[in-house]
Short mmCIF file of all heavy atoms in Angstrom, two decimals:
data_model
loop_
_atom_site.label_atom_id
_atom_site.label_comp_id
_atom_site.label_asym_id
_atom_site.label_seq_id
_atom_site.Cartn_x
_atom_site.Cartn_y
_atom_site.Cartn_z
N MET B 1 13.32 3.44 2.42
CA MET B 1 12.00 3.29 3.10
C MET B 1 12.06 2.00 3.89
O MET B 1 12.43 0.95 3.37
CB MET B 1 10.92 3.27 2.07
CG MET B 1 9.56 3.27 2.66
SD MET B 1 8.23 3.56 1.45
CE MET B 1 8.86 4.79 0.40
N ALA B 2 11.65 2.07 5.12
CA ALA B 2 11.66 0.91 5.99
C ALA B 2 10.57 -0.05 5.67
O ALA B 2 9.40 0.34 5.41
CB ALA B 2 11.49 1.38 7.44
N PRO B 3 10.93 -1.35 5.56
CA PRO B 3 9.93 -2.37 5.26
C PRO B 3 8.79 -2.31 6.37
O PRO B 3 9.14 -2.26 7.51
CB PRO B 3 10.66 -3.69 5.34
CG PRO B 3 12.15 -3.28 5.10
CD PRO B 3 12.21 -1.88 5.68
N GLY B 4 7.53 -2.36 5.91
CA GLY B 4 6.47 -2.36 6.84
C GLY B 4 6.08 -1.03 7.37
O GLY B 4 5.12 -0.90 8.15
N SER B 5 6.81 0.01 6.98
CA SER B 5 6.49 1.35 7.44
C SER B 5 5.17 1.86 6.94
O SER B 5 4.57 1.35 5.99
CB SER B 5 7.61 2.32 7.00
OG SER B 5 7.52 2.55 5.58
N LEU B 6 4.67 2.89 7.63
CA LEU B 6 3.39 3.51 7.20
C LEU B 6 3.42 3.96 5.77
O LEU B 6 2.48 3.70 5.00
CB LEU B 6 3.09 4.72 8.17
CG LEU B 6 1.79 5.51 7.82
CD1 LEU B 6 0.54 4.58 7.93
CD2 LEU B 6 1.69 6.66 8.74
N ALA B 7 4.58 4.55 5.33
CA ALA B 7 4.76 5.01 4.00
C ALA B 7 4.61 3.85 3.03
O ALA B 7 3.86 3.92 2.02
CB ALA B 7 6.05 5.75 3.80
N GLU B 8 5.33 2.76 3.31
CA GLU B 8 5.28 1.58 2.48
C GLU B 8 3.91 0.97 2.39
O GLU B 8 3.36 0.68 1.34
CB GLU B 8 6.30 0.55 2.90
CG GLU B 8 6.34 -0.67 1.94
CD GLU B 8 7.23 -1.74 2.43
OE1 GLU B 8 6.94 -2.39 3.47
OE2 GLU B 8 8.24 -2.02 1.77
N ARG B 9 3.23 0.88 3.53
CA ARG B 9 1.88 0.25 3.54
C ARG B 9 0.82 1.10 2.86
O ARG B 9 -0.15 0.65 2.32
CB ARG B 9 1.40 0.09 5.04
CG ARG B 9 2.15 -0.99 5.72
CD ARG B 9 1.52 -1.35 7.10
NE ARG B 9 1.10 -0.28 7.91
CZ ARG B 9 1.81 0.32 8.86
NH1 ARG B 9 3.02 -0.04 9.14
NH2 ARG B 9 1.30 1.36 9.55
N SER B 10 1.17 2.45 2.68
CA SER B 10 0.25 3.34 1.98
C SER B 10 0.49 3.31 0.49
O SER B 10 -0.26 3.96 -0.26
CB SER B 10 0.45 4.75 2.53
OG SER B 10 0.12 4.83 3.85
N GLY B 11 1.53 2.63 0.03
CA GLY B 11 1.82 2.52 -1.38
C GLY B 11 2.91 3.39 -1.90
O GLY B 11 3.27 3.32 -3.07
N LEU B 12 3.56 4.17 -1.03
CA LEU B 12 4.72 4.98 -1.44
C LEU B 12 5.89 4.07 -1.77
O LEU B 12 6.06 3.00 -1.18
CB LEU B 12 5.12 5.99 -0.42
CG LEU B 12 4.20 7.19 -0.22
CD1 LEU B 12 4.60 7.99 1.04
CD2 LEU B 12 4.31 8.09 -1.44
N ARG B 13 6.63 4.50 -2.81
CA ARG B 13 7.84 3.79 -3.12
C ARG B 13 9.01 4.68 -3.19
O ARG B 13 8.87 5.92 -3.39
CB ARG B 13 7.71 3.14 -4.53
CG ARG B 13 6.62 2.07 -4.57
CD ARG B 13 6.63 1.47 -5.97
NE ARG B 13 5.53 0.54 -6.09
CZ ARG B 13 5.08 0.13 -7.29
NH1 ARG B 13 5.72 0.43 -8.39
NH2 ARG B 13 4.10 -0.74 -7.31
N VAL B 14 10.24 4.14 -3.01
CA VAL B 14 11.43 4.91 -3.15
C VAL B 14 11.45 5.59 -4.55
O VAL B 14 11.13 4.89 -5.53
CB VAL B 14 12.69 4.02 -2.98
CG1 VAL B 14 13.96 4.84 -3.29
CG2 VAL B 14 12.75 3.50 -1.55
N GLY B 15 11.70 6.88 -4.61
CA GLY B 15 11.72 7.61 -5.86
C GLY B 15 10.43 8.37 -6.11
O GLY B 15 10.40 9.20 -7.02
N ASP B 16 9.36 8.03 -5.41
CA ASP B 16 8.14 8.79 -5.56
C ASP B 16 8.35 10.25 -5.17
O ASP B 16 9.07 10.49 -4.18
CB ASP B 16 6.96 8.20 -4.73
CG ASP B 16 6.44 6.92 -5.29
OD1 ASP B 16 6.82 6.54 -6.39
OD2 ASP B 16 5.59 6.32 -4.58
N ARG B 17 7.66 11.17 -5.82
CA ARG B 17 7.79 12.57 -5.44
C ARG B 17 6.36 13.06 -5.10
O ARG B 17 5.44 13.02 -5.93
CB ARG B 17 8.33 13.38 -6.58
CG ARG B 17 8.57 14.89 -6.19
CD ARG B 17 9.36 15.61 -7.24
NE ARG B 17 8.62 15.82 -8.46
CZ ARG B 17 7.85 16.88 -8.75
NH1 ARG B 17 7.80 17.83 -7.80
NH2 ARG B 17 7.21 17.01 -9.87
N ILE B 18 6.16 13.44 -3.83
CA ILE B 18 4.85 13.97 -3.39
C ILE B 18 4.71 15.41 -3.98
O ILE B 18 5.51 16.24 -3.75
CB ILE B 18 4.75 14.00 -1.84
CG1 ILE B 18 4.89 12.55 -1.35
CG2 ILE B 18 3.39 14.65 -1.45
CD1 ILE B 18 4.99 12.47 0.17
N THR B 19 3.59 15.58 -4.74
CA THR B 19 3.42 16.86 -5.36
C THR B 19 2.19 17.66 -4.74
O THR B 19 2.03 18.81 -4.98
CB THR B 19 3.13 16.70 -6.85
OG1 THR B 19 2.01 15.85 -7.08
CG2 THR B 19 4.37 16.09 -7.57
N ALA B 20 1.35 16.91 -3.98
CA ALA B 20 0.23 17.60 -3.30
C ALA B 20 -0.25 16.76 -2.19
O ALA B 20 -0.14 15.49 -2.13
CB ALA B 20 -0.95 17.82 -4.36
N ILE B 21 -0.76 17.46 -1.15
CA ILE B 21 -1.41 16.81 -0.02
C ILE B 21 -2.82 17.37 0.12
O ILE B 21 -3.00 18.55 0.21
CB ILE B 21 -0.59 17.08 1.26
CG1 ILE B 21 0.79 16.46 1.16
CG2 ILE B 21 -1.32 16.50 2.50
CD1 ILE B 21 1.73 16.79 2.30
N ASP B 22 -3.78 16.44 0.06
CA ASP B 22 -5.19 16.83 0.10
C ASP B 22 -5.49 17.88 -0.96
O ASP B 22 -6.22 18.85 -0.72
CB ASP B 22 -5.65 17.29 1.48
CG ASP B 22 -5.92 16.15 2.44
OD1 ASP B 22 -6.11 15.04 1.99
OD2 ASP B 22 -5.94 16.43 3.65
N GLY B 23 -4.92 17.69 -2.14
CA GLY B 23 -5.13 18.63 -3.24
C GLY B 23 -4.39 19.94 -3.19
O GLY B 23 -4.51 20.72 -4.15
N GLN B 24 -3.65 20.16 -2.16
CA GLN B 24 -2.88 21.46 -2.04
C GLN B 24 -1.40 21.13 -2.50
O GLN B 24 -0.74 20.34 -1.91
CB GLN B 24 -2.88 21.99 -0.59
CG GLN B 24 -4.27 22.25 -0.09
CD GLN B 24 -4.93 23.34 -0.96
OE1 GLN B 24 -4.35 24.40 -1.22
NE2 GLN B 24 -6.20 23.15 -1.36
N PRO B 25 -0.93 21.88 -3.53
CA PRO B 25 0.42 21.60 -3.96
C PRO B 25 1.48 21.80 -2.94
O PRO B 25 1.36 22.64 -2.07
CB PRO B 25 0.59 22.64 -5.11
CG PRO B 25 -0.78 23.06 -5.46
CD PRO B 25 -1.58 22.92 -4.22
N VAL B 26 2.49 20.95 -3.01
CA VAL B 26 3.72 21.10 -2.17
C VAL B 26 4.92 21.08 -3.09
O VAL B 26 4.93 20.34 -4.10
CB VAL B 26 3.84 20.00 -1.04
CG1 VAL B 26 2.78 20.21 -0.04
CG2 VAL B 26 3.76 18.60 -1.66
N SER B 27 5.97 21.85 -2.77
CA SER B 27 7.09 21.89 -3.73
C SER B 27 8.41 21.61 -3.00
O SER B 27 9.43 21.69 -3.63
CB SER B 27 7.16 23.30 -4.39
OG SER B 27 7.28 24.30 -3.39
N SER B 28 8.36 21.27 -1.73
CA SER B 28 9.59 20.95 -1.00
C SER B 28 9.30 19.96 0.10
O SER B 28 8.18 19.75 0.57
CB SER B 28 10.23 22.22 -0.37
OG SER B 28 9.36 22.63 0.71
N ALA B 29 10.41 19.22 0.53
CA ALA B 29 10.26 18.29 1.62
C ALA B 29 9.80 19.00 2.89
O ALA B 29 9.07 18.48 3.65
CB ALA B 29 11.62 17.61 1.85
N ARG B 30 10.23 20.24 3.11
CA ARG B 30 9.80 20.97 4.27
C ARG B 30 8.32 21.18 4.27
O ARG B 30 7.65 21.03 5.29
CB ARG B 30 10.53 22.34 4.29
CG ARG B 30 10.22 23.16 5.49
CD ARG B 30 10.88 24.46 5.46
NE ARG B 30 10.61 25.26 6.67
CZ ARG B 30 11.45 25.58 7.59
NH1 ARG B 30 12.71 25.20 7.45
NH2 ARG B 30 11.11 26.22 8.65
N GLN B 31 7.73 21.50 3.17
CA GLN B 31 6.28 21.72 3.06
C GLN B 31 5.55 20.40 3.37
O GLN B 31 4.57 20.38 4.07
CB GLN B 31 5.84 22.22 1.70
CG GLN B 31 6.10 23.67 1.48
CD GLN B 31 5.59 24.14 0.13
OE1 GLN B 31 5.64 23.35 -0.87
NE2 GLN B 31 5.11 25.34 0.05
N VAL B 32 6.05 19.30 2.91
CA VAL B 32 5.45 17.98 3.10
C VAL B 32 5.48 17.77 4.61
O VAL B 32 4.44 17.36 5.22
CB VAL B 32 6.21 16.88 2.35
CG1 VAL B 32 5.67 15.51 2.85
CG2 VAL B 32 6.03 17.05 0.84
N ILE B 33 6.60 17.91 5.26
CA ILE B 33 6.73 17.66 6.71
C ILE B 33 5.79 18.56 7.46
O ILE B 33 5.10 18.10 8.40
CB ILE B 33 8.19 17.88 7.17
CG1 ILE B 33 9.05 16.74 6.56
CG2 ILE B 33 8.35 17.88 8.64
CD1 ILE B 33 10.52 16.97 6.65
N GLU B 34 5.75 19.86 7.13
CA GLU B 34 4.88 20.76 7.86
C GLU B 34 3.41 20.43 7.74
O GLU B 34 2.66 20.45 8.70
CB GLU B 34 5.09 22.23 7.39
CG GLU B 34 6.44 22.79 7.79
CD GLU B 34 6.76 24.12 7.12
OE1 GLU B 34 6.02 24.51 6.20
OE2 GLU B 34 7.77 24.75 7.47
N ARG B 35 2.98 20.02 6.49
CA ARG B 35 1.57 19.68 6.26
C ARG B 35 1.23 18.37 6.99
O ARG B 35 0.18 18.29 7.60
CB ARG B 35 1.29 19.51 4.78
CG ARG B 35 1.46 20.74 4.00
CD ARG B 35 0.15 21.38 3.53
NE ARG B 35 0.36 22.58 2.86
CZ ARG B 35 0.40 22.73 1.55
NH1 ARG B 35 0.13 21.69 0.74
NH2 ARG B 35 0.66 23.91 0.99
N LEU B 36 2.11 17.41 7.00
CA LEU B 36 1.86 16.15 7.72
C LEU B 36 1.81 16.43 9.21
O LEU B 36 0.95 15.82 9.91
CB LEU B 36 2.96 15.10 7.41
CG LEU B 36 2.96 14.59 6.01
CD1 LEU B 36 4.11 13.64 5.78
CD2 LEU B 36 1.68 13.91 5.66
N ALA B 37 2.67 17.25 9.78
CA ALA B 37 2.68 17.56 11.15
C ALA B 37 1.42 18.29 11.61
O ALA B 37 0.93 18.09 12.70
CB ALA B 37 3.91 18.41 11.53
N ALA B 38 0.83 19.12 10.69
CA ALA B 38 -0.35 19.85 11.00
C ALA B 38 -1.69 19.07 10.81
O ALA B 38 -2.73 19.49 11.26
CB ALA B 38 -0.40 21.13 10.16
N HIS B 39 -1.55 17.95 10.14
CA HIS B 39 -2.75 17.17 9.81
C HIS B 39 -3.21 16.40 11.07
O HIS B 39 -2.47 15.84 11.79
CB HIS B 39 -2.41 16.14 8.69
CG HIS B 39 -3.61 15.59 8.08
ND1 HIS B 39 -4.34 16.18 7.12
CD2 HIS B 39 -4.21 14.38 8.29
CE1 HIS B 39 -5.34 15.44 6.79
NE2 HIS B 39 -5.28 14.36 7.44
N PRO B 40 -4.55 16.40 11.28
CA PRO B 40 -5.09 15.68 12.48
C PRO B 40 -4.81 14.20 12.43
O PRO B 40 -4.99 13.55 11.41
CB PRO B 40 -6.61 15.89 12.35
CG PRO B 40 -6.74 17.14 11.44
CD PRO B 40 -5.57 17.08 10.51
N ALA B 41 -4.24 13.72 13.55
CA ALA B 41 -3.97 12.29 13.64
C ALA B 41 -5.19 11.43 13.50
O ALA B 41 -6.29 11.84 13.97
CB ALA B 41 -3.29 12.02 14.99
N GLY B 42 -5.08 10.31 12.86
CA GLY B 42 -6.17 9.41 12.65
C GLY B 42 -7.10 9.74 11.47
O GLY B 42 -7.89 8.92 11.08
N ARG B 43 -6.92 10.89 10.88
CA ARG B 43 -7.77 11.32 9.74
C ARG B 43 -6.98 11.05 8.42
O ARG B 43 -5.82 11.45 8.26
CB ARG B 43 -8.07 12.80 9.81
CG ARG B 43 -9.14 13.16 8.81
CD ARG B 43 -9.50 14.64 8.93
NE ARG B 43 -9.37 15.18 7.58
CZ ARG B 43 -8.86 16.32 7.23
NH1 ARG B 43 -8.43 17.12 8.18
NH2 ARG B 43 -8.75 16.71 6.00
N PRO B 44 -7.58 10.30 7.49
CA PRO B 44 -6.87 9.99 6.24
C PRO B 44 -6.59 11.26 5.46
O PRO B 44 -7.34 12.29 5.54
CB PRO B 44 -7.81 9.03 5.51
CG PRO B 44 -8.96 8.86 6.31
CD PRO B 44 -8.89 9.72 7.52
N LEU B 45 -5.54 11.22 4.66
CA LEU B 45 -5.30 12.31 3.74
C LEU B 45 -4.86 11.78 2.43
O LEU B 45 -4.39 10.63 2.30
CB LEU B 45 -4.16 13.23 4.30
CG LEU B 45 -2.81 12.64 4.61
CD1 LEU B 45 -1.83 13.20 3.54
CD2 LEU B 45 -2.35 13.06 5.92
N GLY B 46 -5.08 12.53 1.36
CA GLY B 46 -4.73 12.10 0.00
C GLY B 46 -3.37 12.67 -0.36
O GLY B 46 -3.09 13.85 -0.16
N LEU B 47 -2.54 11.82 -0.93
CA LEU B 47 -1.26 12.27 -1.44
C LEU B 47 -1.26 12.09 -2.94
O LEU B 47 -1.63 11.01 -3.46
CB LEU B 47 -0.10 11.36 -0.90
CG LEU B 47 0.12 11.34 0.59
CD1 LEU B 47 1.23 10.34 0.93
CD2 LEU B 47 0.52 12.72 1.10
N THR B 48 -0.89 13.15 -3.66
CA THR B 48 -0.72 13.08 -5.07
C THR B 48 0.81 12.86 -5.32
O THR B 48 1.61 13.59 -4.75
CB THR B 48 -1.17 14.35 -5.81
OG1 THR B 48 -2.54 14.55 -5.49
CG2 THR B 48 -1.01 14.20 -7.30
N VAL B 49 1.14 11.84 -5.99
CA VAL B 49 2.52 11.39 -6.17
C VAL B 49 2.87 11.24 -7.65
O VAL B 49 2.11 10.73 -8.44
CB VAL B 49 2.70 10.02 -5.42
CG1 VAL B 49 4.06 9.41 -5.68
CG2 VAL B 49 2.37 10.11 -3.98
N GLN B 50 4.06 11.72 -7.92
CA GLN B 50 4.63 11.46 -9.32
C GLN B 50 5.57 10.35 -9.18
O GLN B 50 6.50 10.29 -8.45
CB GLN B 50 5.33 12.64 -9.86
CG GLN B 50 5.82 12.46 -11.23
CD GLN B 50 6.44 13.71 -11.81
OE1 GLN B 50 6.44 14.78 -11.22
NE2 GLN B 50 7.01 13.60 -13.02
N ARG B 51 5.26 9.28 -9.99
CA ARG B 51 6.10 8.08 -10.05
C ARG B 51 6.48 7.87 -11.51
O ARG B 51 5.70 7.44 -12.35
CB ARG B 51 5.30 6.87 -9.53
CG ARG B 51 6.14 5.59 -9.56
CD ARG B 51 5.38 4.42 -9.00
NE ARG B 51 5.06 4.60 -7.55
CZ ARG B 51 4.13 4.01 -6.89
NH1 ARG B 51 3.34 3.14 -7.53
NH2 ARG B 51 3.90 4.27 -5.60
N GLY B 52 7.68 8.35 -11.82
CA GLY B 52 8.15 8.37 -13.23
C GLY B 52 7.22 9.30 -13.96
O GLY B 52 7.09 10.45 -13.59
N SER B 53 6.58 8.87 -15.00
CA SER B 53 5.76 9.73 -15.87
C SER B 53 4.24 9.59 -15.37
O SER B 53 3.42 10.28 -15.91
CB SER B 53 5.81 9.31 -17.26
OG SER B 53 5.40 8.00 -17.49
N ARG B 54 3.98 8.79 -14.37
CA ARG B 54 2.61 8.63 -13.91
C ARG B 54 2.31 9.48 -12.69
O ARG B 54 3.17 9.74 -11.85
CB ARG B 54 2.37 7.14 -13.52
CG ARG B 54 2.52 6.23 -14.72
CD ARG B 54 2.14 4.81 -14.38
NE ARG B 54 2.58 4.39 -13.08
CZ ARG B 54 2.23 3.27 -12.46
NH1 ARG B 54 1.31 2.53 -13.00
NH2 ARG B 54 2.69 2.92 -11.26
N ILE B 55 1.08 9.95 -12.62
CA ILE B 55 0.53 10.68 -11.43
C ILE B 55 -0.42 9.74 -10.72
O ILE B 55 -1.35 9.25 -11.30
CB ILE B 55 -0.13 11.92 -11.86
CG1 ILE B 55 0.82 12.89 -12.64
CG2 ILE B 55 -0.70 12.69 -10.60
CD1 ILE B 55 2.01 13.34 -11.87
N LEU B 56 -0.18 9.50 -9.44
CA LEU B 56 -0.99 8.60 -8.62
C LEU B 56 -1.60 9.36 -7.45
O LEU B 56 -1.01 10.33 -6.94
CB LEU B 56 -0.17 7.44 -8.10
CG LEU B 56 0.61 6.64 -9.09
CD1 LEU B 56 1.57 5.74 -8.38
CD2 LEU B 56 -0.29 5.88 -10.05
N THR B 57 -2.72 8.85 -6.97
CA THR B 57 -3.34 9.35 -5.72
C THR B 57 -3.36 8.25 -4.75
O THR B 57 -3.92 7.21 -5.02
CB THR B 57 -4.73 9.96 -5.97
OG1 THR B 57 -4.69 11.00 -6.91
CG2 THR B 57 -5.32 10.50 -4.69
N LEU B 58 -2.71 8.46 -3.61
CA LEU B 58 -2.66 7.47 -2.55
C LEU B 58 -3.36 8.00 -1.30
O LEU B 58 -3.45 9.17 -1.08
CB LEU B 58 -1.19 7.11 -2.21
CG LEU B 58 -0.28 6.71 -3.43
CD1 LEU B 58 1.17 6.51 -2.92
CD2 LEU B 58 -0.77 5.43 -4.00
N GLN B 59 -3.83 7.07 -0.52
CA GLN B 59 -4.46 7.44 0.79
C GLN B 59 -3.51 7.05 1.91
O GLN B 59 -2.99 5.98 1.92
CB GLN B 59 -5.80 6.76 0.94
CG GLN B 59 -6.90 7.22 0.01
CD GLN B 59 -7.22 8.70 0.24
OE1 GLN B 59 -7.44 9.10 1.36
NE2 GLN B 59 -7.23 9.45 -0.83
N LEU B 60 -3.29 7.97 2.82
CA LEU B 60 -2.44 7.75 3.94
C LEU B 60 -3.23 8.11 5.21
O LEU B 60 -3.88 9.12 5.25
CB LEU B 60 -1.20 8.66 3.83
CG LEU B 60 -0.25 8.62 4.99
CD1 LEU B 60 0.53 7.33 5.04
CD2 LEU B 60 0.78 9.78 4.81
N ALA B 61 -3.21 7.21 6.19
CA ALA B 61 -3.89 7.46 7.47
C ALA B 61 -2.81 7.57 8.48
O ALA B 61 -2.16 6.63 8.82
CB ALA B 61 -4.89 6.31 7.81
N LEU B 62 -2.67 8.77 9.03
CA LEU B 62 -1.73 8.96 10.13
C LEU B 62 -2.25 8.34 11.38
O LEU B 62 -3.45 8.42 11.66
CB LEU B 62 -1.45 10.43 10.36
CG LEU B 62 -0.95 11.19 9.11
CD1 LEU B 62 -0.83 12.72 9.40
CD2 LEU B 62 0.44 10.68 8.76
N PRO B 63 -1.38 7.72 12.17
CA PRO B 63 -1.87 7.02 13.40
C PRO B 63 -2.39 8.03 14.36
O PRO B 63 -1.96 9.19 14.44
CB PRO B 63 -0.56 6.33 13.90
CG PRO B 63 0.57 6.83 13.15
CD PRO B 63 0.06 7.52 11.93
N GLY B 64 -3.39 7.64 15.08
CA GLY B 64 -4.02 8.43 16.10
C GLY B 64 -3.18 8.45 17.42
O GLY B 64 -2.20 7.67 17.49
N PRO B 65 -3.59 9.30 18.35
CA PRO B 65 -2.84 9.38 19.59
C PRO B 65 -2.92 8.18 20.43
O PRO B 65 -3.70 7.32 20.35
CB PRO B 65 -3.51 10.55 20.31
CG PRO B 65 -4.77 10.90 19.59
CD PRO B 65 -4.71 10.19 18.28
#
């Protein structure tokens, strides 16, 4: 993960596994990419993340146009 990246600023860490986006389960990297690409720019979204044995909810705001 790049220092200062959007992912890092949102609280994601190396090793985190995204399990849902806006409450909708995702089971593959492809699903994550597709959902992020389809999400409106500038609108925050919720990421459910598994970090070890913990489940976290993080907020990510994709940059606007």
